[in-house]
Amino acid sequence: MLHVRVNKLAALFWVVLGLVLSESVLSSLFSPDRHLAPPNRLILLAFDGVMLFLGICAFLWRKSPRMAGLNVSLIAVFVCLAGIEGYLRVTRVDPVWAQREIEKIRVPDPFLHHALVPNSSGVIWWVDRKVPYFVNSAGFRDARVRDVPPRTRSQARVVLLGDSFTEALGVPYEKSFACRLEALFREGGADVEVLNAGVAAYCPRIYYRRLQKFLDEGFSTDIAIVMMDMTDAWDEAVFYSDNDFSDECARQLQESRRKRVDVIVSEQQRDRTYYLVYPALLIEVSRLLSGWGKDPWEWLNSYSDGAFAWTEDRHFDKPWVAVGLERCKLHLEHIKRLCDEHGIEMFLAVFPQPPQLSSPRRPSRQEVIFSEFAQENGIKMIDLYPGFRALKDWRKAYIKWDNHFSPKGHEVVARQLHDELVRSSGKLGVASPARNSP
């Protein structure tokens, strides 16, 4: 009978499909290098179990017409999903092109570890979007390729030191808080130049070197703002634990980075299912496991190494946290001395990521630790947390399925920086206007 044949074929189909998908597709989807973390390995085992269960059921109830109908329906759903996956793969970003664009802009550096190429331009693929990039003559991301004069022609110059949040990964430069900060000054009638020295994966150790190199090359600035990212402690303790940025070390690190970028481009950035489907499933599963109404970020970050969530109890006692924070403070002190030597007014800004905003802890440990540090060392502090907490929905301040600022998040940062600089900077000479919250 037809339904018996359908059920027998379906039984074979589910078993074979489970084995093939698990080994050839899902393992690379969860981990491009196929080294699976325990939670992902459990997901694959569960998937294999479900496929085996469907195969057994189809065989045991092979004489049931209803089972045949169920199998046909499930196979139809699978065919639809396979079609979507095929479309996403066909419309993927060419990994060779993406790699070449990256190499136009980013290079290893024996002093800074890595840097942006001065007077360069290209396109960076981030999550699900292409973002145009321009780098000025100082090696800073900018709205266009241009020459930066050693001394500003404006009434004041502000240099922003930071990592990927300051560089503004994932958004056009015109939407970054660096560009918006300059625009806000201009709207208020002040001629203030803002330079964006942020580069992805920098930390206080490199912020100091970046400012030192900037000054040694003959440039000057009136104000330097250090944008403390949550991952700075991790980078100080783990990623930059070896201070050797010699040419040979830089070459080896670049080779390691190149391999990592190749993996990301070839498996994650070209296969948008990784970003669009897998995180969505994790979010929904986390909602179920965490309970209705509980923010999924809290559950998701419980499985991380704590780089983004060291402020929370489950991570704060890890040994690397104390080491990283001490190194952050040490290099911030170096930046302070460098600023004092050159008559530069230094500000220290802290901002939250999703784990801090979803946490009941108020204030965040980051706020407390660096507020006390700034006060002890005569550094002006800018706490950006209040602007994010005041938002009706803080999730809109971050790129979907990513923890970097969306244009809305950049606007929140820009307005708070503007208001605090106008209020407390001794270098601008700008009257403080009344501003509405974003």
Side-chain angles (χ1 to χ4, degrees), residues 13-14 17 21 47 72-84:
F13 175 81
W14 293 126
L17 178 66
L21 277 185
F47 175 81
V72 170
S73 299
L74 291 176
I75 291 173
V77 170
F78 167 77
V79 170
C80 291
L81 292 176
I84 294 173

Side-chain angles (χ1 to χ4, degrees), residues 199-243:
V199 177
Y202 275 12
C203 65
R205 178 192 303 262
I206 315 300
Y207 303 159
Y208 168 70
R209 293 188 177 201
R210 177 65 269 189
L211 181 60
Q212 183 183 37
K213 183 176 181 180
F214 178 74
L215 297 171
D216 288 346
E217 290 174 342
F219 294 98
S220 66
T221 186
D222 301 288
I223 298 171
I225 305 177
V226 178
M227 305 294 298
M228 287 294 295
D229 178 24
M230 199 60 58
T231 60
D232 283 345
W234 169 267
D235 287 339
E236 287 282 357
V238 180
F239 193 73
Y240 293 108
S241 58
D242 183 355
N243 200 29

Side-chain angles (χ1 to χ4, degrees), residues 171-296:
V171 300
Y173 190 78
E174 292 74 14
K175 300 291 186 179
S176 70
F177 67 78
C179 189
R180 288 296 301 134
L181 177 59
E182 185 172 282
L184 289 171
F185 279 121
R186 189 166 54 250
E187 291 169 10
D191 184 17
V192 178
E193 180 187 25
V194 178
L195 295 180
N196 183 355
V199 177
Y202 275 12
C203 65
R205 178 192 303 262
I206 315 300
Y207 303 159
Y208 168 70
R209 293 188 177 201
R210 177 65 269 189
L211 181 60
Q212 183 183 37
K213 183 176 181 180
F214 178 74
L215 297 171
D216 288 346
E217 290 174 342
F219 294 98
S220 66
T221 186
D222 301 288
I223 298 171
I225 305 177
V226 178
M227 305 294 298
M228 287 294 295
D229 178 24
M230 199 60 58
T231 60
D232 283 345
W234 169 267
D235 287 339
E236 287 282 357
V238 180
F239 193 73
Y240 293 108
S241 58
D242 183 355
N243 200 29
D244 178 16
F245 297 159
S246 64
D247 290 338
E248 177 61 21
C249 180
R251 186 193 65 76
Q252 294 174 0
L253 288 168
Q254 176 68 358
E255 182 62 25
S256 174
R257 177 181 173 276
R258 185 192 305 276
K259 292 178 180 178
R260 186 167 69 253
V261 168
D262 285 342
V263 168
I264 291 174
V265 169
S266 63
E267 295 294 344
Q268 295 181 7
Q269 293 181 352
R270 76 174 182 179
D271 183 2
R272 287 175 287 172
T273 306
Y274 183 91
Y275 279 111
L276 301 180
V277 177
Y278 179 46
L281 290 175
L282 276 181
I283 291 288
E284 294 307 317
V285 170
S286 70
R287 287 187 187 278
L288 295 174
L289 295 179
S290 300
W292 297 111
K294 192 171 183 180
D295 199 289

Side-chain angles (χ1 to χ4, degrees), residues 366-431:
Q366 188 196 32
E367 291 176 278
V368 173
I369 291 171
F370 288 105
S371 292
E372 293 175 352
F373 170 81
Q375 186 174 8
E376 292 169 359
N377 290 272
I379 301 172
K380 295 182 179 179
M381 177 78 176
I382 303 178
D383 187 349
L384 299 174
Y385 277 70
F388 287 89
R389 289 176 178 146
L391 294 174
K392 188 172 183 180
D393 184 2
W394 58 259
R395 294 163 188 80
K396 294 182 179 179
Y398 298 87
I399 296 174
K400 194 173 185 180
W401 312 132
D402 187 29
N403 63 340
H404 288 90
F405 296 139
S406 66
K408 183 176 182 64
H410 281 280
E411 186 69 21
V412 172
V413 172
R415 289 186 177 275
Q416 290 185 98
L417 288 178
H418 171 268
D419 292 350
E420 187 60 31
L421 288 174
V422 168
R423 185 183 70 82
S424 60
S425 174
K427 295 278 188 176
L428 297 179
V430 180

Side-chain angles (χ1 to χ4, degrees), residues 25 30 60 70 76 85 96 108 116 122 165 186 195 199 221 256 340 348:
V25 179
F30 292 152
L60 292 178
L70 177 62
E85 172 69 13
V96 176
L116 301 182
F165 283 82
R186 189 166 54 250
L195 295 180
V199 177
T221 186
S256 174
D340 289 344
L348 178 63

Side-chain angles (χ1 to χ4, degrees), residues 142-177:
D142 211 325
R144 66 186 187 280
V145 177
R146 68 180 180 96
D147 288 330
V148 176
R151 295 185 179 277
T152 184
R153 300 187 181 99
S154 304
Q155 68 187 68
R157 172 181 281 173
V158 176
V159 170
L160 300 169
L161 300 167
D163 63 356
S164 56
F165 283 82
T166 305
E167 181 185 318
L169 282 181
V171 300
Y173 190 78
E174 292 74 14
K175 300 291 186 179
S176 70
F177 67 78

